[in-house]
Amino acid sequence: MTTTRAGRWIDDWRPEEPEFWENGGRQVALRNLVWSIFAEHLGFSVWLIWSVSSAFLVSMGFSYTPQQLFLLVALPNLVGSLLRLPYTFAVPRFGGRNWTMVSAGLLLVPTLGFAVAVQHPGTPFWAFCLIAATAGLGGGNFASSMANINFFYPAAKKGAALGLNAAGGNLGVSLIQLFLPVIVGGAGIFGLVKAADGGISLQRAAYVYAGLAVVATLAAYLFMDNLTSARSKPREQLQVVKERQTWVMAFLYIGTFGSFIGYSAAMPLLIKLNFWVADPAPLGTGIYFAYYAFLGALVGSATRPFGGWLADRFGGARVTLAAFAAMIVFTLAVLWTLTQLTPNPDQSAVIAEDNRSWFPWFLAFFLCVFAATGIGNGSTYKMIPAIFRTQAERATPAGSAERAAALHAGTKKASAAIGVIGAVGAIGGFLIPIAFSSPWVDQPMEATKGAFVAFTAFYVVCAVVTWAVFLRRPHEAKAHVSLANAGI
């Protein structure tokens, strides 16, 4: 049975022991998982608040080019990726519960700054860039949340637990894109909900999420725990950067999570620039970005725990390879739909009817890409603890004290690696919107096509790396050090 001392620190935590797990351990882990998901969910929502609100800025009187709007979308992703490393190291330094309180409270900075800026049409673009960058604070929450939950669950259940934790956070992207138009009055859910005054008030969404950040801070204080066994020094954690497998997984995570967060951030603007009609229209009479922008993130979030479950059953490497194969196929399909569109050089509000007729195909194929990224996200995060556990098992005799110590150290390494891998992978969320807004290409549609060609080539490389490192049958002389066929 677990015991908690002052400050909600748990000194005795042994999730790998079945009796300990069934006699209270499971319940404690689940309680921490639930509130971790809530805080991480809000972090993702704040992180991606600019993905959909940027598409409303022009309607509010801000005169920005497509390149400037894509930059506002990309900046939070860059800052969020950079913050993931220190956020990961904060968990062993301060405790998972304590850092959840801090990280949730910090969400007040981007939300309140956003609320003030959007109420003043004279706010300069550089100020918007600065405020958008602070939204990256929400992106750091993912790394600390995943590193924390990794300590609570036994190896056999990490795939599902980390998948649920990540999916609950990822779902924040979809919900902010679905409900922000409702809250601010710019559009309703598929046109069914309308603002009474017909105006747009972006600050409403900021105030709602500022209030929820306070709730998350209080919930972490009241219901979450710190684990003494998770304590370690930053120098010990930084040892994972010397591990070759850390960088291999970081590269693959650019392809899975980097694609998910980058496409999620860019999708509202992609729809608006290529398929938009002038005003919100009833369902079936036109294409308005706010009706559909949330669907990609929703599908990617929903399939992430499925990817973790598949990885628990079939092995993370096999599932990851299949995910990249699907991403290659469906990215090419999205590119094919774009080649059927008529360019819109003056970015007029009303797009040619022929373009709108291709929108269902564009959306369907794009949602398939999102589904594959979600599955790949779940499977790659199953692979991370499996890699370090396999290394520990190979280095020590079964049933020995050395094996137990090595497995515990492996869990610490895996949590630190999650931060490094998450930080590098999230950079894709910055690169993808930037690729869509290439300043050297005058026509946004041509920039979009070129970007999808580059993404497809990158997924091919990711698939080859996955096969070569984790699935290819090794030479007999290297079989004892290779991770291929090790069930990763």
Side-chain angles (χ1 to χ4, degrees):
M1 194 73 178
T2 62
T3 56
T4 305
R5 60 181 169 87
R8 297 195 69 94
W9 284 93
I10 297 178
D11 295 324
D12 182 25
W13 188 252
R14 293 168 280 121
E16 298 293 346
E17 297 182 13
E19 183 177 357
F20 178 91
W21 182 252
E22 295 299 331
N23 293 329
R26 182 199 303 272
Q27 291 81 358
V28 173
L30 179 61
R31 170 163 47 78
N32 280 271
L33 175 62
V34 168
W35 292 109
S36 174
I37 289 174
F38 178 62
E40 186 193 345
H41 175 92
L42 294 180
F44 265 94
S45 294
V46 172
W47 193 20
L48 270 293
I49 195 170
W50 286 93
S51 70
V52 63
S53 61
S54 61
F56 285 115
L57 290 180
V58 175
S59 300
M60 295 183 65
F62 297 96
S63 300
Y64 296 142
T65 66
Q67 285 78 11
Q68 287 177 310
L69 294 176
F70 273 118
L71 180 61
L72 289 177
V73 166
L75 281 174
N77 293 340
L78 175 63
V79 175
S81 67
L82 296 177
L83 287 178
R84 286 187 164 195
L85 194 58
Y87 268 55
T88 301
F89 292 166
V91 170
R93 177 66 180 85
F94 302 106
R97 171 238 188 196
N98 295 347
W99 187 251
T100 302
M101 292 167 53
V102 172
S103 60
L106 285 174
L107 297 180
L108 293 173
V109 175
T111 52
L112 296 180
F114 178 95
V116 172
V118 296
Q119 294 183 68
H120 298 89
T123 302
F125 181 70
W126 67 262
F128 270 122
C129 288
L130 181 62
I131 295 168
T134 66
L137 290 167
N141 287 16
F142 172 83
S144 56
S145 178
M146 294 291 280
N148 183 40
I149 293 303
N150 183 54
F151 285 106
F152 277 94
Y153 279 84
K157 300 182 183 298
K158 286 185 189 292
L162 293 175
L164 285 171
N165 190 55
N170 292 171
L171 192 60
V173 179
S174 178
L175 291 189
I176 189 70
Q177 292 176 340
L178 172 63
F179 289 117
L180 184 142
V182 179
I183 296 171
V184 306
I189 303 175
F190 300 110
L192 300 178
V193 180
K194 299 287 186 180
D197 57 6
I200 299 175
S201 300
L202 285 173
Q203 66 272 18
R204 294 176 188 164
Y207 290 137
V208 168
Y209 277 91
L212 290 174
V214 174
V215 173
T217 304
L218 293 175
Y221 173 79
L222 294 171
F223 305 118
M224 292 186 71
D225 302 289
N226 303 305
L227 295 180
T228 304
S229 59
R231 297 298 293 269
S232 64
K233 298 177 181 178
R235 181 177 298 178
E236 296 174 354
Q237 294 177 283
L238 283 171
Q239 294 301 311
V240 297
V241 302
K242 300 179 181 179
E243 296 277 353
R244 171 175 172 266
Q245 300 300 334
T246 298
W247 296 107
V248 172
M249 292 306 302
F251 180 78
L252 298 181
Y253 202 55
I254 294 175
T256 58
F257 180 77
S259 296
F260 167 80
I261 201 66
Y263 289 148
S264 296
M267 192 173 182
L269 282 175
L270 285 177
I271 295 174
K272 180 174 182 177
L273 292 175
N274 294 305
F275 302 100
W276 188 49
V277 295
D279 299 302
L283 184 63
T285 63
I287 297 166
Y288 188 63
F289 75 92
Y291 297 168
Y292 306 99
F294 74 97
L295 290 173
L298 177 63
V299 170
S301 302
T303 56
R304 182 157 189 163
F306 181 58
W309 177 82
L310 288 174
D312 283 338
R313 185 168 183 178
F314 301 107
R318 291 186 178 90
V319 177
T320 300
L321 180 61
F324 280 125
M327 291 169 68
I328 293 167
V329 171
F330 291 114
T331 303
L332 287 174
V334 170
L335 180 61
W336 173 72
T337 64
L338 292 174
T339 62
Q340 311 303 313
L341 303 183
T342 301
N344 182 35
D346 60 355
Q347 297 305 306
S348 59
V350 180
I351 303 297
E353 185 64 33
D354 287 345
N355 281 13
R356 294 203 296 272
S357 68
W358 282 100
F359 179 71
W361 292 104
F362 169 85
L363 183 64
F365 291 139
F366 213 162
L367 293 184
C368 290
V369 174
F370 272 103
T373 66
I375 291 172
N377 285 337
S379 60
T380 51
Y381 259 67
K382 165 64 176 179
M383 293 170 68
I384 297 169
I387 288 169
F388 290 99
R389 182 177 181 84
T390 298
Q391 291 177 339
E393 290 175 342
R394 288 181 172 181
T396 55
S400 65
E402 291 82 1
R403 168 68 64 84
L407 290 175
H408 180 64
T411 300
K412 287 188 176 183
K413 281 186 176 181
S415 290
I418 282 173
V420 176
I421 293 165
V424 176
I427 291 176
F430 170 74
L431 296 177
I432 285 178
I434 292 298
F436 286 137
S437 62
S438 299
W440 52 86
V441 180
D442 294 333
Q443 173 53 244
M445 186 179 293
E446 293 305 313
T448 300
K449 292 177 185 177
F452 277 115
V453 170
F455 301 154
T456 303
F458 180 71
Y459 300 148
V460 171
V461 175
C462 288
V464 171
V465 170
T466 303
W467 172 79
V469 176
F470 299 107
L471 295 172
R472 181 183 55 158
R473 185 179 297 277
H475 188 278
E476 290 184 7
K478 297 183 178 180
H480 66 291
V481 296
S482 174
L483 290 176
N485 299 320
I488 300 299

